[in-house]
Amino acid sequence: MGMEEVVGHVVADLVRDYFADSPVGASPRPVIRPPAEPGALAALERRSGQPFEEGYRAFLSLTDGLEGFPLLLLGSRDREPGGAGEAAEAFRETTLDSDPEDMGVAPGTRLFPVAVNEDGSQGIFLIDPAGREERFWLTGEGDSFFFKGFADVLGFLGDAGSCEPRTSLLL
């Protein structure tokens, strides 16, 4: 399944849930953004200090971020001063201070925030693979899940039972 189909299914589910709520709209409002400009996408990848996973690059080429989950999926525009990227960077610093090695994340691993919740207590990072298949880590609020690709992350956010992510890289 291509990223267009994955995003389409996820957004359709978000919209259906949004209108099914009582009262209508009690959950976050789904928002699809215009695609990231190629230059902004390249600058974001350079900023991350690591190559983007193919699915994440395809996602940003379709929508420069996505709203509607409890976590905001960040785009290039969120990295501007005052944007949600600041909360994501603060969460990154907190995560680095909390011994990510306990979950199997090697010391010095690059963590690039790709999502964060409103209060900055949970997020998703693109992680430098360092020989591992897993490229994404959802952590915070007692959770720790590792995913191979961004499509798996989207599927999990839409339906936690859709896949069985690793809970630690130590396993």
Side-chain angles (χ1 to χ4, degrees), residues 99-166:
D99 296 323
E101 296 86 8
D102 292 345
M103 303 306 334
V105 177
T109 297
R110 291 186 175 137
L111 302 178
F112 183 71
V114 298
V116 67
N117 65 352
E118 192 172 290
D119 68 2
S121 63
Q122 187 176 43
I124 300 172
F125 298 104
L126 174 70
I127 56 177
D128 194 350
R132 294 218 170 264
E133 291 182 325
E134 287 77 10
R135 290 298 314 270
F136 294 92
W137 180 30
L138 184 153
T139 188
E141 299 182 350
D143 292 328
S144 181
F145 301 109
F146 293 91
F147 304 88
K148 291 181 182 180
F150 197 69
D152 297 329
V153 171
L154 288 175
F156 182 82
L157 291 175
D159 175 12
S162 69
C163 67
E164 294 183 26
R166 291 179 66 165

Side-chain angles (χ1 to χ4, degrees), residues 4-44:
E4 295 89 353
E5 293 170 307
V6 172
V7 171
H9 287 293
V10 166
V11 170
D13 289 345
L14 289 173
V15 169
R16 184 175 43 255
D17 292 347
Y18 179 78
F19 286 116
D21 281 346
S22 181
V24 171
S27 62
R29 183 173 54 94
V31 175
I32 300 172
R33 299 176 178 174
E37 296 291 328
L41 186 55
L44 191 61

Side-chain angles (χ1 to χ4, degrees), residues 49-74:
Q50 58 185 299
F52 279 173
E53 184 264 346
E54 184 179 322
Y56 184 54
R57 179 181 287 106
F59 169 78
L60 293 173
S61 297
L62 292 170
T63 177
D64 190 21
L66 181 63
E67 301 169 39
F69 295 111
L71 298 168
L72 167 64
L73 298 174
L74 302 166

